[in-house]
Amino acid sequence: MLRLKNIHTHYGKVHALKNVSLRLLEGEIVTLIGANGAGKTTILNTISGVTPASSGEVLFENKQITELAPDRIVKLGISQVPEGRQVFKQLSVEDNLDLGAYLRYRSREDKASINEDREHIFTLFPQLLNRRKQLAGTMSGGEQQMLAIGRALMAKPKLLLLDEPSMGLAPLVFQEIFRVLHQLRHEHGTTILLVEQNAKAALKLADRGYVLETGKIILEGSSVELMDNTDVKRAYLGKEKG
Amino acid sequence: MQFDQLLQYVLSGLSTGAIYALIGIGFSIIYNATGIINFAQGEFVMLGGMLTLLFLDSCKLPLWAAIPCAIAVSTASGMLFERLAIRPLRQPTPINLVIITIGGSILIRGLSMLLWGKDTHAIPPFSGEEPIAVGGATILPQHIWILGITLLIIAANKFYFYHTISGKAMRACAYNRRAAGLVGIDVRRMVLFSFIISSAMGSVAGIIVAPLTMTAYDVGVMLGLKGFCAAIIGGMSSGGATVVGGLILGILESLGAGLISSGYKDAIAFIILLLILFIRPQGLFGKAQSERV
Ligand SMILES: Nc1ncnc2c1ncn2[C@@H]1O[C@H](COP(=O)(O)OP(=O)(O)O)[C@@H](O)[C@H]1O
Ligand SMILES: [Mg+2]
């Protein structure tokens, strides 16, 4: 479904991604693990067109999307839940969700089906329901994360990119988020590329994983293989509890 | 100092203030969507008046037809300006943008001078010149047109930004550009949109004020500055705060001209501008991080 071929991405002179290649099959959940600054966010942003690759190819459903602008990429069916949530703080919860469906409104899709999907988001995250008129910026971090995921789902993406959705969240909220990710896979078969600090939880959820170190992919394999790998254990699983 | 006279100053101040507010909102809309201060904004105000004149005199259209034509052409030039001057910029640094919008403003003004000469012209008032008594003061029908149309535009603006998906998307761009792109909003299209709305609003301002103040190729300079001042008072809000900013400026000008000397009229805007920029750069009503739309 998604393929990255020999991707290099630069920030000015900083060479952030070095010859990254990866692939996702339809219906898979794949996780990217790596230390801070390894380049995980950059991979997602290169896929989303925010920080275009300086060389290499990004293919989505066998189409070149390497040079497309972010909005075109969303249109093709890839939505990103960015690092740090990035909800529109000065807009209400409902408006945030509506903007998630911006392209569907633009393509004159039936309002009823958009409304239905919005209500569905509220069943996924019941906590958002009685905050629907509230400004997003006034909610807790966990609620903003739920909103950010909801907003991305409103676009009905074929592929969902998630950047550290559990960052800074309390354990209960963390569980809630992961419960929804499980649900997405079982009920909707959404394909997911998940960047996550909690490597253990991520590997438990995912089918496969890639390990990234200073802009290079140093290891890949099924979740089970990675969980058993001594290097991975030492570097990424060691400090995790439970 | 008589009450009636004071009322008179305030009333006429309100209607020029409404004009400043419209122009100011134009500045703010572009600024919020793009971070650009469009120094060419005043030229679209000028184009509104001058093009109305063109359609009246050269095309012999009646006023009610000349006005929409003028708005359409001004808006199209706003759109063209964005496409030809702003979008192609490879490095849209603030200084480049200042230079390009000032350059654009000089170009539009120059072309207008070549086309229409340096004379000032009058546009007929929309409905007669019979003064209307308000308390002890009088206003002209044109004043009522100005206030009414301004109110209408502000209401339409509010509706657009708060109740349409496109308006919400434009606010989203103002708040968080990257996130806006990531939900599928074409940010460049929104930039174009902001230029369209602003030039349309500017041209309307130029048209409704022209029967009172006359118009010429260079009226955009002062009107643009006053509108900018209104927007600065309002902390670059594209809503209520800039409207209030415009009204305050209009009333202060009118009082200053009436009570002190009409020679000081234009100086007042400069003084307010400097005071605000030094003392309250976030605008008169703004908190440090204010809601700008
Ligand atoms: N905007 C930027 N400008 C310059 N360098 C950046 C920028 N964003 C990230 N980098 C650099 O790119 C590398 C990868 O960053 P990032 O993708 O954010 O890592 P991760 O998400 O894995 O923590 C880091 O070395 C970081 O310093
Ligand atoms: Mg990151």
Side-chain angles (χ1 to χ4, degrees), chain B residues 54-125:
Chain B
L54 176 79
F55 285 113
L56 280 174
D57 291 352
S58 309
C59 307
K60 305 288 175 218
L61 290 181
L63 190 61
W64 60 263
I67 289 175
C69 291
I71 296 174
V73 176
S74 316
T75 307
S77 21
M79 203 165 143
L80 220 61
F81 181 63
E82 195 276 340
R83 275 294 165 96
L84 299 182
I86 307 290
R87 188 172 293 199
L89 272 190
R90 296 221 156 185
Q91 289 178 310
T93 56
I95 187 70
N96 285 352
L97 287 163
V98 167
I99 291 170
I100 203 84
T101 62
I102 290 180
S105 136
I106 293 172
L107 178 72
I108 297 174
R109 204 178 318 137
L111 289 176
S112 303
M113 191 186 75
L114 289 178
L115 190 59
W116 290 305
K118 290 185 170 182
D119 299 337
T120 50
H121 307 269
I123 290 181

Side-chain angles (χ1 to χ4, degrees), chain A residues 45 48 50-51 70-71 74 78-80 82 86-88 90-91 95 98-100 102-103 105-106 135 151 155, chain B residues 162 165-166 168-173 175-187 189-190 289-291:
Chain A
N45 281 338
S48 284
V50 175
T51 54
D71 57 289
V74 177
I78 304 179
S79 284
Q80 186 190 144
Q86 310 284 331
V87 295
F88 302 115
Q90 300 91 331
L91 296 178
D95 284 348
D98 275 351
L99 284 172
Y102 175 76
L103 288 170
Y105 279 107
R106 290 275 336 268
L135 294 189
R151 182 181 64 184
Chain B
Y162 283 82
I165 191 74
S166 160
K168 288 173 192 174
M170 199 178 288
R171 288 169 67 203
C173 287
Y175 298 141
N176 190 334
R177 252 171 172 239
R178 174 175 291 190
L182 286 176
V183 298
I185 297 168
D186 183 346
V187 177
R189 185 188 152 91
M190 285 295 146
Q289 277 280 315
S290 66
E291 162 106 10

Side-chain angles (χ1 to χ4, degrees), chain A residues 176-229:
Chain A
E176 165 101 2
I177 303 272
F178 268 75
R179 173 186 63 74
V180 170
L181 297 185
H182 275 284
Q183 196 172 340
L184 283 179
R185 114 164 291 176
H186 288 120
E187 289 174 14
H188 305 271
T190 314
T191 310
I192 297 177
L193 181 55
L194 172 68
V195 167
E196 182 47 62
Q197 286 194 319
N198 187 332
K200 186 162 191 176
L203 286 172
K204 239 167 150 178
L205 174 71
D207 305 299
R208 290 188 299 116
Y210 291 86
V211 180
L212 199 65
E213 214 171 270
T214 56
K216 289 195 200 94
I217 290 187
I218 53 159
L219 208 60
E220 62 172 288
S222 73
S223 297
V224 181
E225 282 164 16
L226 290 180
M227 271 190 280
D228 283 340
N229 182 294

Side-chain angles (χ1 to χ4, degrees), chain A residues 41 83 163-164:
Chain A
T41 298
E83 186 170 17
D163 199 346
E164 307 212 16

